[in-house]
Amino acid sequence: MSNIVWHDHKITRAERSANKNQKPCLLWFTGLSGSGKSTIANALDVALHERGYHTFLLDGDNVRHGLCSDLGFSDDDREENIRRVGEVCKLFADAGLIVMSAFISPFTSDRRMVRKLFPAGEFIEVFMDAPLETCESRDPKGLYKKARAGEIKHFTGIDSPYEVPSHPELRLDTSKNTVEECVDSLIAYLLDRGMIALKS
């Protein structure tokens, strides 16, 4: 690292943000498989895009097809997966974007690591607080069935732990709330914190 020197950009983070008329932030969707992370993140992405905001969405499965295709699901690999994603999210936020990230991210320490990359108020932890029974009954990818049969090891919620966020900025339960209600809650939060503004 001794031969690597940081190069400052002439256009600042604040200037990029002001040019888009929004404040950069990261909405970090965390929760069990089947809790609605990708569904709600995608719906929010669409809602913000339709309002004219500049966004980008990173999804767990998609990232593992490219950036993290060399990683497995051991604790160490999961930590490295989240570290890489956090750094990518920071770059997108530096470009002035509103970033959404949908990852199980089961460990508190990993989520804290990403939070520390962002200025205060810009990391928004969204805990998808759907009960395991609901997630397992949905089983959109058939993963719970395979985990129960012993075909998948280290599956979060079955034989690998999920550490529940103690103080998430938002808590959404898709077993009780519709997609539209969840998106409304997220939009209201962003408006209330001044990350976006009402547009005429």
Side-chain angles (χ1 to χ4, degrees):
M1 298 293 288
S2 60
N3 295 321
I4 299 175
V5 179
W6 184 266
H7 185 81
D8 290 322
H9 295 172
K10 291 186 177 180
I11 301 175
T12 67
R13 188 178 194 271
E15 289 170 332
R16 295 182 191 278
S17 173
N19 197 39
K20 296 175 176 63
N21 195 31
Q22 63 188 39
K23 291 184 179 178
C25 62
L26 168 60
L27 293 110
W28 187 273
F29 292 82
T30 176
L32 296 172
S33 178
S35 61
K37 298 181 299 299
S38 295
T39 299
I40 302 303
N42 270 283
L44 176 62
D45 194 25
V46 170
L48 290 172
H49 179 77
E50 290 175 344
R51 289 166 169 78
Y53 290 105
H54 301 261
T55 64
F56 196 80
L57 168 62
L58 290 99
D59 182 82
D61 282 354
N62 292 0
V63 167
R64 282 187 174 271
H65 275 92
L67 178 69
C68 298
S69 61
D70 59 323
L71 300 176
F73 290 90
S74 67
D75 288 356
D76 286 346
D77 279 1
R78 286 183 178 215
E79 179 181 353
E80 175 60 14
N81 182 55
I82 296 304
R83 187 196 70 79
R84 292 182 194 179
V85 169
E87 293 289 350
V88 170
C89 289
K90 181 178 182 297
L91 290 173
F92 280 124
D94 285 347
L97 300 181
I98 295 171
V99 189
M100 283 143 285
S101 174
F103 290 78
I104 293 174
S105 50
F107 303 125
T108 300
S109 58
D110 293 347
R111 300 192 298 265
R112 186 183 303 119
M113 171 180 61
V114 179
R115 183 185 288 272
K116 288 180 178 178
L117 296 173
F118 288 79
E122 287 190 14
F123 180 91
I124 302 165
E125 189 173 43
V126 184
F127 173 37
M128 304 305 296
D129 190 14
L132 173 62
E133 296 75 20
T134 298
C135 298
E136 192 165 358
S137 67
R138 291 172 177 163
D139 205 9
K141 304 169 188 174
L143 299 178
Y144 283 102
K145 184 178 180 180
K146 290 181 179 179
R148 290 292 188 190
E151 297 173 25
I152 299 177
K153 300 297 183 184
H154 311 296
F155 189 77
T156 303
I158 303 300
D159 59 350
S160 186
Y162 178 81
E163 297 174 358
V164 174
S166 55
H167 298 94
E169 278 71 20
L170 283 159
R171 184 184 300 264
L172 302 174
D173 183 351
T174 54
S175 72
K176 298 177 180 177
N177 302 114
T178 65
V179 171
E180 292 75 17
E181 289 170 339
C182 290
V183 170
D184 287 345
S185 295
L186 290 159
I187 294 287
Y189 182 93
L190 293 173
L191 285 168
D192 186 57
R193 299 309 188 278
M195 316 308 282
I196 61 173
L198 287 174
K199 293 188 176 184
S200 56

